[in-house]
Amino acid sequence: MVNLYLVRHGIAAEREEYPEDGVRPLTSEGKRKTKQVAQQLFKLGLQFDLILSSPLVRARQTADILKAIGLSSQLEESTDLTPEGSIYSWLTWWEEWRNKGGSSLALVGHEPNLGEWTEILVWGEAKGNLLVKKAGVIGVQLPESGSPIGRSLLFWLTPPKFLL
Amino acid sequence: MVNLYLVRHGIAAEREEYPEDGVRPLTSEGKRKTKQVAQQLFKLGLQFDLILSSPLVRARQTADILKAIGLSSQLEESTDLTPEGSIYSWLTWWEEWRNKGGSSLALVGHEPNLGEWTEILVWGEAKGNLLVKKAGVIGVQLPESGSPIGRSLLFWLTPPKFLL
């Protein structure tokens, strides 16, 4: 199986302060809590071949924190992970990445996308019934061959408060 | 919402040693790890109005450990939680319990039942795509009125190794 970890960005500044959604940064509380989550993931022994991040500032800052803690040496951005992104476009990328031998990947992005992508991978359709908190983490095992849609296994879902 | 926690029993003796499945006890490693999980749940601030347990020895021992750590003062057994039990029979009991004001319940039982019950509550059907380890914990928010089938929210799923 191939392990996929989906991490929602941390607490970000309010929309009123930043008319352009893409530049909203993490608040200082958001940075602090995200760092605690990253440290806990590191303590639990997690390592990612690659962190793939939404280019939006609050996600990219979250991804930078994961990388700085030592969870991966590789970080790339993908527009598939923006709020407008599509799991089907990402899956094309992912199948290529898996075929090149990738085995542990972290995605950093947004809600409702991450929860819905998880539901599509595990149950084949999105009902919006996963609660994914800011800086929350999801773990899914994807199959080594064939489509992962409706064929993946959910092994982890945690809000940050149960990690700290 | 009403919080439901589903806890799988800890590591139990092999089937070969105990021809009667219902009397298989936890191993000493199973007791130790289950106690660690219980302590961690207590540290995270969890409290249950009631622990409802399968009467099978490995489940009842797990439930006894949860109670002894201080997670609840109330413990009952239910045959709905045996491997042959039915979620629909349990739901009749649960709706009555909820209507009497219950708000935080822990179930201690078996796989594949606990994972499938969770899938039925959250997505309306069981696909067997949740990985629930021994002494693993699931957290689901059920609605305060109406049927919870396909209308509940999954907020937590963790193997013990990510709790310890």
Side-chain angles (χ1 to χ4, degrees):
Chain A
M1 300 290 263
V2 185
N3 284 324
L4 178 68
Y5 297 87
L6 303 96
V7 183
R8 186 177 176 197
H9 66 78
I11 301 165
E14 298 292 338
R15 282 171 200 276
E16 295 83 60
E17 293 173 60
Y18 291 86
E20 198 192 326
D21 182 59
V23 302
R24 285 198 288 135
L26 298 183
T27 63
S28 51
E29 188 198 359
K31 282 182 193 165
R32 188 178 52 76
K33 282 200 180 173
T34 302
K35 201 171 164 183
Q36 286 180 324
V37 166
Q39 283 167 334
Q40 198 62 20
L41 299 184
F42 188 81
K43 264 205 246 170
L44 293 172
L46 298 189
Q47 277 292 320
F48 311 125
D49 299 328
L50 173 65
I51 299 169
L52 196 66
S53 175
S54 153
L56 274 59
V57 167
R58 59 193 184 278
R60 177 57 199 250
Q61 286 182 332
T62 300
D64 285 338
I65 290 170
L66 298 180
K67 183 166 182 281
I69 292 289
L71 286 160
S72 182
S73 59
Q74 302 296 317
L75 169 56
E76 292 176 19
E77 291 184 359
S78 167
T79 52
D80 293 334
L81 289 164
T82 61
E84 296 75 30
S86 148
I87 187 173
Y88 301 101
S89 164
W90 171 77
L91 275 173
T92 306
W93 174 91
W94 178 78
E95 294 198 3
E96 219 169 281
W97 181 81
R98 174 188 64 180
N99 293 343
K100 282 189 281 185
S103 73
S104 177
L105 175 68
L107 304 182
V108 181
H110 308 269
E111 274 292 283
N113 305 45
L114 297 180
E116 292 184 356
W117 287 28
T118 300
E119 291 181 299
I120 290 167
L121 291 171
V122 175
W123 289 277
E125 60 170 326
K127 290 194 83 173
N129 283 354
L130 284 188
L131 265 181
V132 189
K133 297 282 187 183
K134 293 193 177 87
V137 182
I138 303 168
V140 185
Q141 287 185 356
L142 280 66
E144 282 181 17
S145 61
S147 166
I149 292 181
R151 299 177 59 233
S152 304
L153 301 176
L154 184 68
F155 65 90
W156 199 23
L157 165 66
T158 188
K161 70 172 175 180
F162 288 158
L163 263 186
L164 305 182
Chain B
M1 300 291 262
V2 185
N3 284 325
L4 177 69
Y5 297 87
L6 303 96
V7 183
R8 186 178 176 196
H9 66 78
I11 301 165
E14 299 291 339
R15 282 170 200 277
E16 295 83 61
E17 293 174 60
Y18 290 86
E20 199 192 325
D21 182 59
V23 302
R24 284 198 289 135
L26 298 183
T27 62
S28 52
E29 189 198 358
K31 281 182 193 166
R32 187 177 53 77
K33 281 201 182 173
T34 302
K35 202 169 163 185
Q36 285 180 324
V37 166
Q39 283 167 333
Q40 197 63 20
L41 299 184
F42 188 81
K43 262 204 247 171
L44 293 173
L46 298 189
Q47 277 292 320
F48 311 125
D49 298 329
L50 174 65
I51 299 170
L52 196 68
S53 176
S54 154
L56 274 58
V57 168
R58 59 193 184 278
R60 177 58 199 250
Q61 286 183 333
T62 300
D64 285 339
I65 290 169
L66 299 180
K67 181 165 183 281
I69 292 289
L71 286 160
S72 182
S73 60
Q74 302 296 317
L75 170 56
E76 291 176 19
E77 290 183 358
S78 167
T79 53
D80 293 334
L81 288 165
T82 62
E84 297 74 31
S86 147
I87 186 172
Y88 302 100
S89 165
W90 171 77
L91 275 173
T92 306
W93 174 90
W94 179 78
E95 294 197 5
E96 219 169 278
W97 181 82
R98 174 189 63 181
N99 293 342
K100 283 189 283 189
S103 73
S104 176
L105 175 68
L107 304 181
V108 181
H110 308 270
E111 274 293 281
N113 306 45
L114 297 181
E116 292 183 357
W117 287 28
T118 300
E119 291 180 298
I120 290 168
L121 291 171
V122 176
W123 290 278
E125 60 171 326
K127 292 194 82 171
N129 284 352
L130 284 188
L131 265 182
V132 189
K133 297 282 188 183
K134 294 195 176 85
V137 182
I138 302 168
V140 185
Q141 287 187 357
L142 280 66
E144 281 181 17
S145 61
S147 166
I149 293 182
R151 298 178 59 234
S152 303
L153 302 177
L154 183 67
F155 66 89
W156 199 23
L157 165 66
T158 187
K161 70 171 176 180
F162 288 158
L163 263 185
L164 305 180

